Amino acid sequence: MASRPPLGTTSVASVSSSTDSPTSTGPPGGVPQSITALLNNPLPSAAASSYSWLPWPPTTITLPDAAPTPPSHPCEVNCADFAPYLAAVSDPYARFADIRLHATAELAASSDAEGAPAASSGLAACLREVPALFFKEDFALEDGPTFQAACPLDDDGLQERLGQHLDVVEAHLVREIALRSESFYEAQGRLRGLDGEIVTAVGRIRELREVVRVLTGDLVGAARQVQELNATRGNLVALQQKLTVILYVSQALAALKLLVAAADCAGALDVIDDLQNLLDKLPAVLRIYRDTLITVMKASIKATVAELLPVLTARPIDSDSVSGDRAADADAGGQSLANKLRSLSSEGFVQLLSAIFRIVQVHLQQAAEVKRIVEWVMGNLDGTLSVDASNPTVQHGGSVVSDISQENDYSRVSNTLTRTTSKIPFVQGKANDLSIINSIKNVRADVLRENTEAVFAACDAAHGRWAKLLGVRAALHPRLRLQEFLIIYNITEEFIAATEKVGGRLGYNIRGILQQQSKQFVDYQHNVRMTKIKAVLDQETWVAVDVPEEFQAIVLSLSSTYSSANGMDMPSEDDNSKFSDPMSQEPTYSAENNADNGKLTSAIGESKVESTSPQTENNVTGNQRPTLQTIAHGGVRYHMVNCGLILLKMLSEYVDISKCLPSLSFEVVQRVVEILKLFNNRTCQLVLGAGAMQVSGLKSITSKHLALASQIISFTHSLIPDIRRVLFLKIPEARKQLLMSELDRVTQDYKVHRDEIHTKLVQIMRERLLANLRKLPQIVEGWNGPEDNDLQPSQFAKAVTKEVTYLHRILSQTLLEVDVQTIFRQVVQIFHSHITEAFGKLEINTPQAKNRLCRDVQHILTCIRKLPAENFSAETIPNYGILDEFLAENFGTKVGE
């Protein structure tokens, strides 16, 4: 709001001008009349009181107090003379100024609404009231100069000023939105009305389509029937012509017999020449027949797809719950044929393929029967009417028909032909000329070739259409489940086998398409499993879980001696719910409690002891799923974690894929090698490399984690030979050697990994021993006291024995006995060497210190005796070592004395 100039200044200027002008006149008292005219007489009156409705308070002008002084001269005036007047008109003038300012603002707002730019409103006002720095496109407080200019550090009122800027911008934005709200709501109303009109139009289109359908049936139906009857008439006329030719041939053969019998050589030669000409047009007719057969085959498949696809893709559309665009698109047939094929479910697509298979079978039955009849006719050119068993071509034609069709529409024709047992003396006398015989043989070869090519061309056309259908859904088939993909794979294999038997040749194109999609299926399934097992490993918390019996059944099936087709059943769909998948739900773990006898400060120190529930295999009632605490393989039981169960499930799925797709067994074995490598490497990174502390949120890698990792690695290592035996059943011997070497390397990697875990456990115990040995000199300093009343071992001996006992208990609960023995054989050797060396360096000067040292040695050796030992008998001392010799040499005693 623009501020008006101070009244005092205006008054002084007016007074000065009035005193200087000789023409200025005024009433007595010296008040100039020009001020009254300027202010438009803003005196309190009825008109002035009408402005009391204004919502803003009037502006009050405080004038300085001035004591009125009588003028020395009647014409001399000053500011104090106008003080009473100014006090009287200050309030009305303020209201007058506010009214004028408000009217100006309303005029500007109306100009904005009409599209005229207003200089004092909108965002332009923001640019005037808020510094232009904040409106720059590259404004960023990260920039040092920008931050200094926008937020000076020595400005105490910075926060308040920035708040004021924000309020100004917000107020103007609200005002701009309010000015455009009516347009927005108007556009929204129009859009809603347009949507309603579209829905109405769609309904009218649907009604018009129904009317058109009725009119088509009423008006065009008769014409279409006439057209179909004309086509049928044309076919019958063509058939009559062909039968006329056959009748002519039959009559010509009968006449030929008579002419030969009458020795009419000229007439016989004319008849033979006519028959020869008919035989020479015949290959061309078969070529036309081949083209027609291809066209009919393609048209039949296309018609089948066009007829079944709307039925298989039909979905009810509710116009009330669907937007107008979607309803119009659905009614207008917006989807292309390819999109409709892709939108089919796997079951619907199989139904479509089955229908096409039946149609193709019908056409191929007819083509095979025609082929058989032509071969029979050509066989009679050699003087035989019945099918000769020595003729491989005719024999093949008969076997084809018997394999394809059990109810043959042309059986009557075939039976009529085969019942003919008489032989036609086709040519005699001069007709036996060698040139005629060669000509007949050439014609016969051409006819048989064209006849065979016609049938193969029909099979090839069917292959092409089938391959195109598979190609349209090439991106969908790899994502199917194994059972769904196997149905499509099997029906395609049956189709290829049936058509190849009729055509007599291999369909390389369709076989290549099927092999390519099978490989894509294997690759996609492998990529999914690789991603999943990596995610499962990253979320693994390395705690033991119970084992459902389904997984024990998988192990038994893999290790079965009859695993050739192994008797392995296809995995059911519900098997995926039998194990815990951290990608879909939280894994269920057994309850764990901290060890009762304290914790070690290193990896051992944060181990937890799993308190498993006392479940048994037979103690399952009701709907409870039977579970086991361990999984058995090769007579050995292993503790499992969640990722191990999921890996086992995936390996069984790879075996199923190899069994169902034997042509891809080589690729399946390669994928199994990859997933085994990934599992081994990632497990090593997470446990030995402590990566689980970052990705799984573990506070530390404990000895229990290492022991469970060792169990999983040992179990997988023992399972690899069984998996190899099952997968190698479908692989040729020439390719087994390469895969054998790869699997051998993977097996060795698992063994090395397990040994490294055991070495890590030994290293942990060694580090704990060294940490306690560093505290030993301080403890020994207190042994030289005058009295020896404490008959207990020292803190050093207690800590060492407590930690090694704790480690033994943890590992014996999880690891195999042979692994525990291997680990503690090294631990015992380390104890003997390091403790003996440390005790040998101590300076023991008093009998009390010697007694304490002797007690410590005996206490430690007693603990060592209880640790697992290898290859000792009742006559030998378990875990005997140099610490025993140290005790005997320095104290002349043994453990227990």
Side-chain angles (χ1 to χ4, degrees):
M1 182 183 300
S3 60
R4 62 179 182 272
L7 294 178
T9 305
T10 306
S11 302
V12 171
S14 301
V15 170
S16 302
S17 62
S18 63
T19 53
D20 295 338
S21 176
T23 61
S24 62
T25 60
V31 179
Q33 296 179 357
S34 60
I35 296 180
T36 305
L38 176 65
L39 298 180
N40 199 14
N41 194 21
L43 294 175
S45 63
S49 63
S50 64
Y51 297 113
S52 59
W53 55 268
L54 292 176
W56 51 83
T59 304
T60 303
I61 301 176
T62 304
L63 298 177
D65 296 335
T69 57
S72 60
H73 191 273
C75 295
E76 292 181 0
V77 295
N78 54 25
C79 183
D81 296 333
F82 298 98
Y85 176 80
L86 294 177
V89 301
S90 60
D91 292 340
Y93 178 79
R95 288 196 299 270
F96 172 76
D98 291 336
I99 291 171
R100 294 285 301 273
L101 184 61
H102 181 66
T104 304
E106 288 182 345
L107 180 61
S110 62
S111 300
D112 290 343
E114 295 175 358
S120 60
S121 63
L123 297 179
C126 293
L127 293 175
R128 289 195 302 270
E129 299 182 26
V130 179
L133 172 67
F134 295 97
F135 295 97
K136 290 184 177 180
E137 294 183 359
D138 57 347
F139 177 80
L141 289 177
E142 294 85 358
D143 187 16
T146 303
F147 183 81
Q148 289 291 338
C151 305
L153 300 178
D154 55 350
D155 189 355
D156 297 335
L158 175 63
Q159 184 175 1
E160 181 179 358
R161 188 172 67 257
L162 292 178
Q164 292 175 355
H165 294 338
L166 184 61
D167 293 339
V168 169
V169 174
E170 182 179 0
H172 284 288
L173 287 177
V174 170
R175 182 171 178 274
E176 292 294 325
I177 293 173
L179 290 175
R180 292 165 175 80
S181 59
E182 294 183 0
S183 301
F184 172 77
Y185 289 120
E186 182 182 0
Q188 188 177 17
R190 291 182 179 180
L191 183 61
R192 190 175 303 168
L194 180 61
D195 190 25
E197 292 178 0
I198 290 176
V199 174
T200 304
V202 168
R204 294 184 62 186
I205 291 173
R206 190 179 290 111
E207 295 175 358
L208 290 175
R209 285 187 171 182
E210 183 65 19
V211 172
V212 170
R213 187 184 65 81
V214 175
L215 291 177
T216 301
D218 295 341
L219 300 179
V220 188
R224 291 183 61 186
Q225 186 177 5
V226 171
Q227 184 181 9
E228 292 175 358
L229 291 176
N230 285 331
T232 303
R233 180 179 177 276
N235 293 334
L236 292 176
V237 170
L239 178 61
Q240 184 184 12
Q241 294 176 355
K242 303 301 185 295
L243 293 175
T244 303
V245 174
I246 294 175
L247 179 62
Y248 170 76
V249 172
S250 178
Q251 293 174 351
L253 291 175
L256 184 62
K257 293 180 183 179
L258 297 176
L259 292 174
V260 171
D264 188 354
C265 297
L269 289 175
D270 291 338
V271 172
I272 291 174
D273 187 60
D274 292 340
L275 293 177
Q276 182 66 39
N277 291 332
L278 288 176
L279 289 176
D280 294 337
K281 288 160 57 179
L282 188 55
V285 172
L286 288 177
R287 284 192 289 270
I288 298 175
Y289 168 70
R290 178 188 63 187
D291 297 337
T292 304
L293 196 59
I294 293 174
T295 303
V296 171
M297 181 69 73
K298 293 181 178 180
S300 300
I301 296 176
K302 183 177 180 180
T304 303
V305 173
E307 180 181 358
L308 292 181
L309 197 56
V311 178
L312 296 175
T313 59
R315 294 292 184 272
I317 298 180
D318 186 4
S319 59
D320 295 334
S321 60
V322 182
S323 64
D325 293 339
R326 183 177 176 184
D329 183 64
D331 284 342
Q335 285 188 328
S336 64
L337 179 62
N339 291 333
K340 289 180 180 179
L341 287 172
R342 295 188 190 100
S343 64
L344 283 178
S345 63
S346 176
E347 182 181 359
F349 185 65
V350 171
Q351 293 176 0
L352 179 63
L353 292 180
S354 300
I356 294 174
F357 195 178
R358 289 192 294 268
I359 296 298
V360 171
Q361 275 187 319
V362 171
H363 287 284
L364 290 183
Q365 288 171 9
Q366 297 176 359
E369 186 63 26
V370 172
K371 177 174 179 288
R372 183 173 181 271
I373 293 174
V374 172
E375 288 175 345
W376 177 84
V377 172
M378 293 296 102
N380 283 333
L381 292 179
D382 291 336
T384 60
L385 293 173
S386 60
V387 178
D388 189 1
S390 64
N391 190 340
T393 304
V394 179
Q395 186 179 11
H396 172 70
S399 65
V400 169
V401 178
S402 63
D403 289 336
I404 295 182
S405 175
Q406 295 181 358
E407 295 181 0
N408 200 332
D409 297 334
Y410 298 88
S411 59
R412 290 178 295 178
V413 178
S414 177
N415 293 334
T416 302
L417 294 174
T418 55
R419 283 198 301 267
T420 306
T421 57
S422 62
K423 295 184 179 180
I424 301 176
F426 188 63
V427 285
Q428 295 179 358
K430 294 182 179 179
N432 291 326
D433 188 75
L434 183 61
S435 61
I436 297 178
I437 295 176
N438 292 334
S439 177
I440 293 176
K441 288 183 178 180
N442 293 334
V443 170
R444 178 180 179 275
D446 293 340
V447 170
L448 291 178
R449 183 180 66 253
E450 293 295 337
N451 189 29
T452 303
E453 287 294 332
V455 178
F456 173 72
C459 295
D460 191 60
H463 288 173
R465 292 295 173 175
W466 192 287
K468 185 175 291 186
L469 291 175
L470 293 179
V472 168
R473 293 172 56 90
L476 302 177
H477 288 167
R479 302 174 182 271
L480 297 177
R481 291 175 296 181
L482 177 59
Q483 295 85 354
E484 297 173 341
F485 181 80
L486 193 60
I487 294 174
I488 298 176
Y489 181 87
N490 288 338
I491 192 175
T492 305
E493 283 281 1
E494 294 174 6
F495 174 80
I496 294 174
T499 52
E500 286 179 347
K501 185 174 290 186
V502 175
R505 300 179 189 175
L506 295 178
Y508 294 104
N509 183 27
I510 189 172
R511 285 189 176 274
I513 294 292
L514 183 61
Q515 185 73 7
Q516 179 184 7
Q517 292 199 4
S518 301
K519 189 176 184 301
Q520 290 175 353
F521 173 79
V522 172
D523 291 339
Y524 178 80
Q525 297 295 326
H526 174 66
N527 293 333
V528 169
R529 284 163 176 79
M530 291 284 282
T531 303
K532 183 176 181 179
I533 195 63
K534 186 178 183 300
V536 170
L537 283 169
D538 290 344
Q539 299 178 22
E540 182 61 66
T541 55
W542 300 99
V543 294
V545 297
D546 292 338
V547 181
E549 286 189 348
E550 291 79 6
F551 294 91
Q552 184 63 66
I554 292 175
V555 174
L556 293 177
S557 64
L558 290 175
S559 58
S560 174
T561 56
Y562 299 100
S563 55
S564 51
N566 208 0
M568 292 180 61
D569 297 330
M570 286 290 292
S572 63
E573 298 179 5
D574 297 334
D575 287 345
N576 293 330
S577 62
K578 304 291 180 62
F579 60 91
S580 176
D581 188 353
M583 298 183 69
S584 58
Q585 59 183 358
E586 292 294 330
T588 303
Y589 301 128
S590 303
E592 292 187 347
N593 297 319
N594 290 331
D596 295 335
N597 56 353
K599 300 186 293 183
L600 304 184
T601 57
S602 69
I604 298 179
E606 297 187 6
S607 296
K608 296 182 179 179
V609 182
E610 179 186 8
S611 58
T612 56
S613 58
Q615 289 183 340
T616 59
E617 300 180 20
N618 299 323
N619 188 18
V620 179
T621 58
N623 295 327
Q624 182 180 2
R625 183 180 296 120
T627 59
L628 306 171
Q629 294 183 358
T630 56
I631 192 168
H633 179 254
V636 181
R637 290 196 167 272
Y638 300 89
H639 291 273
M640 297 296 291
V641 296
N642 194 48
C643 63
L645 294 179
I646 294 179
L647 176 65
L648 176 60
K649 179 67 177 179
M650 290 181 177
L651 292 175
S652 70
E653 292 171 351
Y654 280 109
V655 172
D656 294 331
I657 294 175
S658 176
K659 182 180 69 173
C660 298
L661 303 174
S663 60
L664 295 176
S665 296
F666 184 83
E667 286 77 8
V668 172
V669 176
Q670 290 180 326
R671 305 306 184 271
V672 170
V673 170
E674 290 180 11
I675 199 170
L676 288 174
K677 288 181 178 179
L678 173 66
F679 186 85
N680 185 51
N681 295 335
R682 189 58 181 164
T683 302
C684 182
Q685 295 171 2
L686 293 174
V687 181
L688 280 178
M693 296 176 62
Q694 286 75 33
V695 298
S696 302
L698 298 180
K699 295 181 179 179
S700 65
I701 304 300
T702 66
S703 58
K704 186 62 175 291
H705 298 154
L706 291 169
L708 287 172
S710 173
Q711 283 278 278
I712 302 302
I713 296 300
S714 300
F715 170 75
T716 309
H717 176 267
S718 67
L719 198 64
I720 290 178
D722 293 334
I723 296 175
R724 176 173 57 190
R725 184 181 67 254
V726 175
L727 294 179
F728 277 21
L729 292 173
K730 304 293 183 179
I731 298 178
E733 291 293 334
R735 310 183 71 181
K736 284 184 179 180
Q737 190 62 34
L738 176 61
L739 298 178
M740 187 76 72
S741 60
E742 293 185 3
L743 277 174
D744 289 341
R745 285 195 295 269
V746 173
T747 305
Q748 182 63 24
D749 291 341
Y750 272 78
K751 183 178 182 301
V752 171
H753 186 186
R754 181 193 61 190
D755 295 341
E756 289 177 351
I757 294 176
H758 296 170
T759 303
K760 182 66 175 179
L761 289 170
V762 175
Q763 181 183 357
I764 290 174
M765 197 63 245
R766 179 177 178 275
E767 292 175 354
R768 293 306 307 150
L769 176 62
L770 293 177
N772 289 316
L773 287 174
R774 286 192 291 269
K775 302 176 184 178
L776 183 60
Q778 299 178 356
I779 298 175
V780 173
E781 291 179 357
W783 288 359
N784 295 321
E787 298 180 358
D788 185 15
N789 298 325
D790 188 6
L791 301 180
Q792 297 294 325
S794 66
Q795 287 297 116
F796 165 76
K798 290 180 180 180
V800 169
T801 56
K802 179 180 178 180
E803 291 174 357
V804 73
T805 303
Y806 183 77
L807 180 63
H808 174 231
R809 185 173 72 253
I810 293 296
L811 298 186
S812 61
Q813 292 175 352
T814 307
L815 292 181
L816 304 179
E817 182 180 358
V818 61
D819 294 335
V820 175
Q821 291 178 355
T822 302
I823 292 172
F824 279 96
R825 176 173 56 83
Q826 302 178 48
V827 170
V828 168
Q829 293 176 354
I830 292 174
F831 268 48
H832 276 292
S833 60
H834 286 67
I835 294 177
T836 302
E837 181 181 359
F839 282 172
K841 294 180 180 180
L842 296 177
E843 296 182 359
I844 306 299
N845 300 323
T846 62
Q848 294 84 353
K850 292 183 178 180
N851 292 334
R852 284 180 175 272
L853 181 60
C854 181
R855 283 198 298 268
D856 281 2
V857 174
Q858 289 182 335
H859 181 75
I860 294 173
L861 288 175
T862 301
C863 177
I864 291 177
R865 295 286 188 269
K866 299 177 182 179
L867 297 178
E870 290 181 332
N871 301 326
F872 70 92
S873 59
E875 291 78 13
T876 60
I877 300 176
N879 296 326
Y880 185 86
I882 59 176
L883 188 58
D884 293 273
E885 298 175 357
F886 176 83
L887 179 64
E889 292 177 359
N890 291 275
F891 303 100
T893 183
K894 298 181 180 179
V895 178
E897 296 182 358

